[in-house]
Amino acid sequence: MPEPEPSEEVIRFENVDKAFGSNVIYEGLNLSVKKGEVLTILGGSGTGKSVMLKMMLGLMTWDAGRVIVLGTDITGLDDAQMLPVRRRVGMVFQNAALFDSLTVFENLAYPLVERGVRDEAEIKKRVTESLAMVDLPGTEDMLPADLSGGMRKRVGLARAVTQSPEILLFDEPTTGLDPINVRRIDEMILSLRQRFGLTSIVVTHDLPSTYLLSDRVAMLAQHRIVEISALAAFRKSQVPEVRAFLDAMEQREAP
């Protein structure tokens, strides 16, 4: 897929501040996400990676600045006002966030019904197609307790895809998975971008995934993004926080 044009922007953070009491998360955070790209966000624990994703969905407020998603300034919008934006943005949560008492089919159908889809044939079609995309056909009647960790992650991805989003947010999508399932999730993220032109924003600590997936990489440190660049340039970055993070992660992952 060709590199996204710089003018095709789908998300922008403008001078965003965020703190939880005395715990400062962001000071003047700026970010621009391009249509169709895979942007990976790296950073140490507590730097606000997941907070950023929640802000993109309007699930968390900020203290100053603006967040613009798909051309809409979502600053200060309530849940009802956020609905049109949320219908265009899907999220895959770290723990998949499945309803334990619902079957796989019911888990995937739930957000469709919540968004007003009433045609049972249409719901079945979307669920079946989404499960096929993540290589889980025939699992509709299974319960989450019957699924492996990797299968749960893929069902979470299928649920997000069922809603036909333009943007997908991934919060640590491969945490806790074995290398085979990590690779499978990574390849599915790339496949969705190639098939549908989705914009993907991936929060992860996994460097192999970062190197496989990313068009660009952003590094959170010191309450802001200290580096955002194309993958090749990011790997060579001499920004101290980036270099320290990459060196530490590469040493930890070395055999």
Side-chain angles (χ1 to χ4, degrees):
M1 178 174 252
E3 182 73 12
E5 292 294 329
S7 60
E8 295 184 283
E9 181 183 76
V10 293
I11 295 175
R12 173 179 286 274
F13 283 63
E14 293 182 355
N15 298 312
V16 170
D17 294 347
K18 175 65 178 178
F20 297 103
S22 61
N23 181 21
V24 176
I25 306 299
Y26 306 137
E27 286 183 320
L29 176 74
N30 291 290
L31 174 70
S32 175
V33 182
K34 302 174 185 177
K35 181 179 179 180
E37 75 172 331
V38 178
L39 173 69
T40 299
I41 299 173
L42 299 177
S45 298
T47 54
K49 301 183 299 298
S50 296
V51 170
M52 191 182 299
L53 298 185
K54 292 175 182 176
M55 286 181 172
M56 293 174 189
L57 279 173
L59 298 175
M60 187 170 286
T61 60
W62 44 99
D63 305 320
R66 299 200 305 162
V67 178
I68 300 165
V69 180
L70 293 165
T72 298
D73 185 347
I74 66 171
T75 307
L77 298 189
D78 60 27
D79 284 339
Q81 294 168 323
M82 276 298 302
L83 275 178
V85 175
R86 289 177 181 160
R87 286 179 177 141
R88 302 168 68 187
V89 183
M91 184 161 179
V92 180
F93 295 89
Q94 182 175 340
N95 61 0
L98 302 179
F99 296 107
D100 290 336
S101 61
L102 302 184
T103 65
V104 168
F105 181 92
E106 291 166 339
N107 266 284
L108 269 65
Y110 181 82
L112 295 176
V113 174
E114 284 288 295
R115 295 183 182 196
V117 181
R118 295 290 182 263
D119 188 307
E120 292 185 6
E122 174 66 15
I123 292 172
K124 183 176 181 180
K125 177 175 179 288
R126 288 208 210 176
V127 169
T128 301
E129 289 177 347
S130 296
L131 287 173
M133 286 180 199
V134 299
D135 296 330
L136 288 175
T139 59
E140 288 88 343
D141 294 332
M142 297 179 70
L143 289 168
D146 301 323
L147 305 174
S148 68
M151 292 172 73
R152 288 174 67 95
K153 295 268 190 177
R154 287 150 63 195
V155 170
L157 176 54
R159 182 175 59 186
V161 171
T162 301
Q163 302 165 60
S164 303
E166 297 168 49
I167 300 171
L168 269 179
L169 312 178
F170 296 87
D171 190 5
E172 301 280 4
T174 60
T175 295
L177 299 183
D178 61 78
I180 292 175
N181 274 305
V182 169
R183 183 74 180 202
R184 180 178 285 152
I185 294 293
D186 288 346
E187 289 175 347
M188 287 176 180
I189 294 172
L190 290 175
S191 176
L192 289 170
R193 195 272 290 270
Q194 291 163 358
R195 291 179 63 178
F196 303 111
L198 293 180
T199 304
S200 297
I201 302 170
V202 184
V203 164
T204 186
H205 286 107
D206 189 294
L207 283 190
S209 292
T210 299
Y211 295 159
L212 176 66
L213 293 173
S214 308
D215 294 308
R216 293 192 302 153
V217 185
M219 179 78 193
L220 266 173
Q222 305 298 325
H223 313 308
R224 61 190 176 89
I225 291 176
V226 297
E227 169 89 350
I228 182 167
S229 57
L231 176 61
F234 188 88
R235 296 183 70 170
K236 297 177 182 177
S237 173
Q238 295 305 308
V239 173
E241 294 91 345
V242 175
R243 196 73 265 143
F245 183 88
L246 293 182
D247 290 347
M249 293 299 293
E250 287 169 354
Q251 288 174 13
R252 193 176 77 175
E253 293 179 4

